[in-house]
Amino acid sequence: MQTNMRGMDMITTQEWTKDQIDTIMEVAMDLKKKRALGIPHAYLRDKVLAMMFFFSSTRTRGSFEAGMAQLGGHPAFIDSRTTQIKHGDTTKEIGDIFGRYFDGIAIREVTWGQGNKYIRGVAEASRAPVLNMQCDIYHPHQILADLMTIIEKKGDPRGKTITVSWAYASSYLKPISVPQSLILLATRFGMNVRLVRPPEFKLMPDIVQQARDNARKHHGSFEIMEDFEAGMAGSDVIYAKSWGPLLVTADPEEGKAITDKYKDWITDERRIAMAAEDAIYMHPLPADRDIEVTSAVLDGPHSVVFDQAENRLHAQKAVMALTMS
Ligand code: CP
């Protein structure tokens, strides 16, 4: 177990060692057990977390707010539209000033080409740790909860096959941060990672290269496939969700026209039956029900999406307790 995480930023799991991530998992499991048993765990008494949102959220806001309160501290929800950012507050003002008020600054800014730069700018100016609640490139707290769920459901991830697949959705061009963070972390835990997507839905080349390097170093594998059903065959973990063709276009109309070519990429019972008999189905939510995935799968025996959503709470509490205490 590592004990040297106080003050660290969580912007991407790639900047944390494998041992440190193992510690997050261990602490998260312990906090989950403590909550189940009603054992108080106020490790952050009198600490305050700023939670700045530039984009909507259900799970991230709810789990960070509840988690901070359960740790004995206070979450301060800040809608970016109510700040003076549009009147001149740059990342320097936010990082330097909020770093003096708060014990941690959590930010969600998913704007393509801007979100990660914004969070990095705040982190550079802040004396308090900065936690990425999702940017355009990474969603580290989602993926920590995903790893915790995989360990709970499937045991040691090493040698297990995970299908990280694109799926069709009509609601909006979803960020690529979830599949990118997932291929980065799953390859560090020795999983056999299949990235499955139509040709227009590529991920960032440097992220894909890092995933390949991780797989080589940690004795897993990484392959890219373009056949949805072949990608499902025999897999232990089906993680199929939509994202926008952002490397081709960030224009909503152009992106929708490309996306609409692949309406048949829906996770349904026939396709889930192609995976391993005891395969689990994962999705970070929100999902476009009966468009991206059928209700029969989302609410069916393979689905672990509600346990996965719960684990956001425990994994984030572990990160907050380790970085902000
Ligand atoms: N999975 C996730 O980040 O959910 P929210 O967008 O509701 O926070």
Side-chain angles (χ1 to χ4, degrees):
M1 171 172 273
Q2 296 293 304
T3 54
N4 58 340
M5 287 158 264
R6 197 167 291 135
M8 281 181 71
D9 299 322
M10 176 55 85
I11 296 176
T12 164
T13 56
Q14 278 290 103
E15 292 166 353
W16 288 57
T17 67
K18 168 89 169 39
D19 283 351
Q20 289 171 332
I21 292 167
D22 285 339
T23 300
I24 293 173
M25 292 296 113
E26 210 171 312
V27 173
M29 301 283 185
D30 181 58
L31 290 170
K32 186 170 186 175
K33 195 193 308 176
K34 285 193 165 78
R35 179 162 164 76
L37 293 171
I39 298 171
H41 45 276
Y43 301 135
L44 295 181
R45 198 181 295 286
D46 301 329
K47 304 274 183 177
V48 189
L49 175 72
M51 297 172 50
M52 286 186 70
F53 282 88
F54 292 76
F55 191 75
S56 54
S57 166
T58 302
R59 281 145 292 273
T60 304
R61 178 181 175 181
S63 53
F64 266 103
E65 281 203 18
M68 194 60 197
Q70 289 162 19
L71 289 167
H74 176 76
F77 173 74
I78 299 161
D79 180 334
S80 67
R81 290 169 302 181
T82 66
T83 66
Q84 297 283 32
I85 288 172
K86 70 172 179 231
H87 297 146
D89 280 337
T90 66
T91 53
K92 169 78 177 146
E93 280 78 17
I94 297 296
D96 197 327
I97 296 168
F98 274 12
R100 298 176 192 221
Y101 297 162
F102 297 103
D103 302 286
I105 306 173
I107 304 173
R108 168 169 281 196
E109 172 29 321
V110 300
T111 311
W112 180 241
Q114 294 179 34
N116 188 262
K117 287 191 186 79
Y118 187 84
I119 292 174
R120 295 269 183 211
V122 173
E124 203 173 315
S126 171
R127 64 182 69 175
V130 168
L131 309 180
N132 180 358
M133 295 195 292
Q134 189 178 21
C135 67
D136 50 335
I137 302 177
Y138 308 112
H139 197 352
H141 295 92
Q142 176 65 55
I143 265 51
L144 290 167
D146 298 342
L147 176 64
M148 182 177 177
T149 309
I150 291 167
I151 292 169
E152 283 181 337
K153 305 292 179 189
K154 307 301 287 180
D156 188 343
R158 278 177 299 181
K160 303 279 187 324
T161 299
I162 181 169
T163 300
V164 180
S165 180
W166 185 85
Y168 176 72
S170 54
S171 54
Y172 71 108
L173 302 188
K174 301 185 185 194
I176 60 176
S177 50
V178 167
Q180 295 206 141
S181 288
L182 191 52
I183 64 170
L184 288 175
L185 195 58
T187 48
R188 290 180 78 193
F189 279 76
M191 297 190 80
N192 298 318
V193 178
R194 296 176 184 164
L195 173 63
V196 187
R197 73 326 173 246
E200 298 92 335
F201 293 85
K202 292 186 174 65
L203 301 182
M204 294 167 70
D206 62 317
I207 299 284
V208 170
Q209 187 55 50
Q210 287 176 63
R212 283 191 205 288
D213 294 344
N214 288 346
R216 203 170 305 119
K217 186 169 169 197
H218 296 281
H219 310 292
S221 65
F222 178 77
E223 63 181 317
I224 297 177
M225 304 168 76
E226 295 191 349
D227 182 326
F228 191 34
E229 295 187 357
M232 299 246 175
S235 188
D236 301 299
V237 180
I238 303 294
Y239 200 122
K241 77 169 300 293
S242 192
W243 64 82
L246 296 172
L247 271 71
V248 177
T249 178
D251 178 77
E253 274 182 30
E254 265 182 61
K256 175 104 176 68
I258 295 170
T259 303
D260 281 350
K261 286 168 37 184
Y262 301 101
K263 285 186 177 175
D264 58 328
W265 283 54
I266 178 170
T267 310
D268 57 17
E269 285 173 298
R270 184 182 68 81
R271 283 170 167 150
I272 279 287
M274 296 173 181
E277 203 177 338
D278 61 350
I280 57 172
Y281 170 78
M282 301 181 73
H283 192 296
L285 303 177
D288 287 24
R289 262 184 189 266
D290 299 310
I291 295 171
E292 194 174 354
V293 50
T294 62
S295 289
V297 170
L298 203 53
D299 302 322
H302 296 278
S303 175
V304 298
V305 297
F306 293 101
D307 289 342
Q308 181 185 358
E310 179 188 336
N311 283 339
R312 294 292 305 275
L313 176 71
H314 311 300
Q316 288 157 198
K317 282 167 72 177
V319 174
M320 289 190 285
L322 289 163
T323 59
M324 291 172 59
S325 59

